[in-house]
Amino acid sequence: MQGFKHWTLQRDADGLAWATLDAADGSANTLGREVMEELGGVLDLLDREPPKGLVIRSGKAAGFIAGANIEEFTKIATVDDAKVLVKRGWDLFNRLAAVKYPTLALVRGHCMGGGLELALACRYRVAVDEPGTKMALPEVMLGIVPGWGGMLRLPEVVGPAAAMDMMLTGKNIDAKRAKRMGLADECVPPRVMENTARMVVLSGRPRRPLPFMQKLMLGPLKGVVANGAKKQVARRARPEHYPAPYAIIDIWSKFGGNALAVPSNHSASLESVFGSATAKNLIRVFFLQDRLKAFGKDSDFAPKHVHVIGAGVMGGDIAAVCAAKGMTVTLQDQTVERIAPAIKRAAEFYAKRYRGDKKQVRFALDRLIADPQGAGVAQADVIIEAIFENLEVKQKVFADVEARAKPDAVIATNTSSLKLEDIAATFKNPARLVGIHFFNPVPKMPLVEVVTAANSDAEAAKKAAAFVRKIDKLPLPVKSAPGFLVNAVLGPYLLEAMRCVDEGVAPEAVDAAALAFGMPMGPIELADTVGLDIAMAAGKGLTGAAEPPKKLAALMAAGNLGKKSGKGFYTWVNGKPQKTQASAPGGLADRLVKPLLDATQRCVSQGVVGDADLADAGVIFGTGFAPFRGGPMNYLKNKTA
């Protein structure tokens, strides 16, 4: 039908209407002002001549709807602007929910934020069973709330407990799980998706009833659910740092899921949420993440075979992650016995990742091949060395690799402290070597530093970044320098924390100060977690300190290496540090973060990282630096403004 830029409306012989969204201004569908206005126009047409049913689907290969147009959020100058944006979606989706004919969202690919709120406004939802189909309300990750009906409708569809879990974490739900929890009415393969959509929307079937206990939670037990949710959130986030999850709970429990009904002086109001520095900074972090995702896009490199040398924790986990992403991986170490623990850890990782789907676990393990002789070097598209930090041994390994690798293979080191120039000194073609530096734990940490020396081949660096994106990590280009970016800023921070302990400040007080600043984990607990031997080795190379902190040296001398040995600065029981209550002395947080801030500035000024924004992205995604502050350089700028 003519007249629409983003939508196509068609009617078939059965009287069924198909509204297809193919946003004209991007590769993914987003719900910007124009798209929303046109959807209103589609509903106008259908009001005049009602169909037997309406199916809403995507015309994009990239997915259903990625959510609201985040660019529009950056143009919100006043609270009134925020209210206009929220009211637009709230009113439109209420109108969709109230139409007299049955409606269905055919969800294939990502269905995020406003996209899921649109789907929830439909009577039915059919999810296409593909890996790319994910449903989520991730607004909390941007410091805002799902204001277009998600807070009202999701608890009614799946029950308050599951809805709160989704809204307060932003987690993705796949197609199968969506069907199990009632978020989707059907979960079907692509070949039958349109026929299924047709049958379901015309079926007249009633909505899935909620279990009795879930109904109670929507009614008389709503306050109990809200209080429990707040306690859960408080374990992870403070209201002064992250107001949005607390606002979501209050808007659902006290204001019927309608953000527009919250008085302006309430802590859950749009004034409080959209006006917070947290929302501004988390939206900034969203765009920083997008910038990292863009690295490697200008390369068509599509690696199928990865060879990893070194089956320790780091190398083994790199191999496991690559195999999970569909690549064939050969894992090399001196003997099969040394490789076996890595395979065992991979099996445990896959069991969790695939939620007990034994077929998927088997497929992933089939792609992970023990290779003590290193035969995979000759076939690999990417070769990653991940052995211990010994220059001579690395040079010997790479002499063999360079001689046998394919001419177009990426040859990389995972070194964290040695300079690329030194490792490549014995190469026939030193330009081939790049750094692909992962962080522990590899499956969880999103950032990977892509390291280049002055003479590194630019095409090899592009390929390395493309590889990092293929395994769904965030590549950060950095120059070869001691510690690159992340370890260069983390080392001084940890050293200052340990100096405080040497001066008599309790480890618990040091950690409490960091948590109060907004760090996800205190520096002393972090040192214990990564291993005090690793912290010691990194400190020697990065901080220039003549003497290590006294307490650290004493613990090392006694063989107490932190979590892995059961004792470090803390005693560890069942993987948890045993702490006593402690409050942080005034000014301690500022003292702790100052070396980190100084080191970040230094890395920017020395060109280790391209600019201040990339430094912020690297430190947030590589160290967990308080995201609500928008990164260390952003924090410094706002602090001195």
Side-chain angles (χ1 to χ4, degrees):
M1 188 168 290
Q2 300 301 311
F4 297 127
K5 178 180 174 184
H6 305 286
W7 291 88
T8 303
L9 182 62
Q10 299 167 314
R11 295 177 189 257
D12 63 23
D14 297 333
L16 187 62
W18 298 78
T20 305
L21 175 58
D22 190 354
D25 49 4
S27 59
N29 287 327
T30 58
L31 297 174
R33 180 183 55 79
E34 265 193 7
V35 170
M36 300 284 270
E37 287 174 353
E38 285 193 6
L39 178 55
V42 169
L43 295 179
D44 289 341
L45 288 173
L46 297 175
D47 280 349
R48 291 197 286 271
E49 195 178 338
K52 286 188 177 178
L54 169 66
V55 176
I56 298 176
R57 62 184 175 182
S58 167
K60 300 283 191 193
F64 183 64
I65 300 173
N69 187 328
I70 308 298
E71 291 280 356
E72 292 186 358
F73 290 173
T74 65
K75 296 169 184 170
I76 292 175
T78 66
V79 172
D80 286 341
D81 291 341
K83 287 184 174 178
V84 167
L85 189 148
V86 171
K87 190 173 189 305
R88 180 198 305 154
W90 174 260
D91 289 348
L92 180 62
F93 291 170
N94 280 346
R95 180 184 173 190
L96 174 61
V99 298
K100 291 190 168 46
Y101 47 86
T103 55
L104 179 144
L106 177 53
V107 177
R108 184 181 192 183
H110 51 241
C111 175
M112 303 291 174
L116 181 53
E117 290 180 292
L118 185 153
L120 285 164
C122 295
R123 185 179 301 179
Y124 307 111
R125 286 156 297 282
V126 169
V128 179
D129 188 10
E130 288 182 322
T133 298
K134 304 287 184 187
M135 300 186 188
L137 288 177
E139 286 83 356
V140 71
M141 312 296 286
L142 298 175
I144 56 177
V145 300
W148 292 351
M151 293 182 287
L152 167 66
R153 295 189 181 93
L154 186 61
E156 292 175 346
V157 170
V158 303
M164 283 294 151
D165 186 43
M166 284 183 68
M167 292 190 292
L168 299 178
T169 64
K171 68 168 58 170
N172 293 336
I173 301 298
D174 63 24
K176 284 190 174 75
R177 190 167 178 207
K179 173 67 168 70
R180 286 198 302 271
M181 66 194 294
L183 181 54
D185 297 276
E186 296 293 343
C187 169
V188 296
R191 67 180 182 277
V192 297
M193 64 182 183
E194 290 178 350
N195 281 341
T196 303
R198 180 189 304 278
M199 287 189 292
V200 171
V201 76
L202 297 176
S203 67
R205 70 164 79 164
R207 287 181 176 171
R208 169 182 173 268
L210 281 176
F212 176 70
M213 183 55 71
Q214 295 291 336
K215 287 181 180 176
L216 285 179
M217 290 178 176
L218 279 173
L221 296 181
K222 186 178 269 193
V224 175
V225 175
N227 289 336
K230 282 186 179 178
K231 287 177 183 175
Q232 291 283 342
V233 171
R235 291 178 188 146
R236 303 191 308 269
R238 303 179 186 219
E240 65 270 24
H241 294 164
Y242 296 98
Y246 297 91
I248 288 170
I249 296 166
D250 281 346
I251 294 169
W252 169 71
S253 63
K254 298 175 182 175
F255 301 100
N258 182 2
L260 296 166
V262 184
S264 60
N265 61 352
H266 194 283
S267 60
S269 68
L270 290 174
E271 285 86 349
S272 296
V273 173
F274 276 88
S276 70
T278 294
K280 292 184 180 68
N281 285 332
L282 290 181
I283 290 170
R284 165 185 162 76
V285 171
F286 172 85
F287 285 108
L288 291 178
Q289 183 179 43
D290 265 9
R291 189 172 171 199
L292 294 182
K293 286 180 178 179
F295 289 114
K297 271 192 175 179
D298 53 353
S299 171
D300 58 2
F301 184 54
K304 292 183 171 57
H305 184 159
V306 177
H307 184 79
V308 180
I309 303 168
V313 172
M314 179 67 82
D317 287 358
I318 293 170
V321 166
C322 292
K325 292 299 177 182
M327 299 171 186
T328 298
V329 183
T330 41
L331 179 57
Q332 179 181 351
D333 211 309
Q334 292 175 328
T335 63
V336 170
E337 288 74 21
R338 291 198 176 199
I339 300 171
I343 304 290
K344 181 174 181 288
R345 277 198 322 278
E348 293 166 355
F349 165 52
Y350 298 148
K352 288 180 184 175
R353 178 185 176 87
Y354 299 117
R355 301 177 186 276
D357 185 334
K358 292 181 180 178
K359 184 171 73 172
Q360 292 299 326
V361 172
R362 188 174 71 251
F363 287 163
L365 284 172
D366 284 348
R367 293 190 292 269
L368 181 56
I369 303 162
D371 183 16
Q373 303 304 317
V377 169
Q379 287 82 41
D381 303 306
V382 177
I383 301 159
I384 303 173
E385 167 273 313
I387 65 171
F388 53 95
E389 298 287 70
N390 180 295
L391 179 59
E392 288 183 11
V393 176
K394 286 182 188 287
Q395 288 177 334
K396 184 178 178 182
V397 166
F398 278 119
D400 174 65
V401 166
E402 188 184 20
R404 294 197 292 132
K406 295 190 296 187
D408 58 348
V410 173
I411 300 177
T413 176
N414 182 59
T415 185
S416 58
S417 59
L418 298 174
K419 293 181 69 176
L420 252 64
E421 293 87 343
D422 294 338
I423 299 173
T426 55
F427 270 62
K428 290 179 180 175
N429 179 11
R432 287 196 73 179
L433 183 68
V434 294
I436 300 180
H437 180 220
F438 291 81
F439 299 95
N440 263 327
V442 173
K444 290 184 179 178
M445 294 300 289
L447 191 82
V448 176
E449 290 175 317
V450 176
V451 190
T452 55
N455 67 338
S456 293
D457 178 57
E459 188 58 32
K462 279 184 188 177
K463 284 182 173 181
F467 158 71
V468 172
R469 287 301 300 133
K470 294 291 183 188
I471 58 171
D472 204 24
K473 300 287 186 185
L474 301 173
L476 175 71
V478 294
K479 300 295 184 190
S480 178
F484 314 130
L485 171 69
V486 172
N487 285 346
V489 305
L490 203 53
Y493 168 66
L494 295 178
L495 180 64
E496 191 64 30
M498 293 180 194
R499 282 176 176 156
C500 290
V501 174
D502 281 354
E503 292 170 15
V505 182
E508 291 90 342
V510 174
D511 282 348
L515 293 172
F517 180 81
M519 297 299 196
M521 180 184 286
I524 301 300
E525 184 178 342
L526 177 61
D528 260 7
T529 301
V530 300
L532 299 186
D533 51 340
I534 293 170
M536 173 80 89
K540 283 180 181 176
L542 300 175
T543 61
E547 293 290 332
K550 292 184 178 61
K551 180 68 173 177
L552 173 63
L555 288 168
M556 286 281 294
N560 296 321
L561 305 181
K563 183 177 181 179
K564 60 188 170 186
S565 68
K567 187 172 175 57
F569 285 91
Y570 297 113
T571 298
W572 291 75
V573 178
N574 296 323
K576 294 186 182 301
Q578 304 304 295
K579 296 185 179 184
T580 57
Q581 287 294 112
S583 56
L588 181 55
D590 288 339
R591 175 183 170 181
L592 288 174
V593 299
K594 186 179 185 304
L596 184 152
L597 300 173
D598 291 346
T600 307
Q601 284 182 301
R602 193 161 53 246
C603 285
V604 173
S605 64
Q606 293 174 353
V608 174
V609 65
D611 56 49
D613 283 354
L614 287 177
D616 280 345
V619 179
I620 289 169
F621 292 111
T623 75
F625 181 90
F628 73 94
R629 297 192 184 275
M633 298 298 287
N634 184 67
Y635 172 70
L636 278 168
K637 182 175 71 175
N638 291 331
K639 189 180 180 186
T640 56

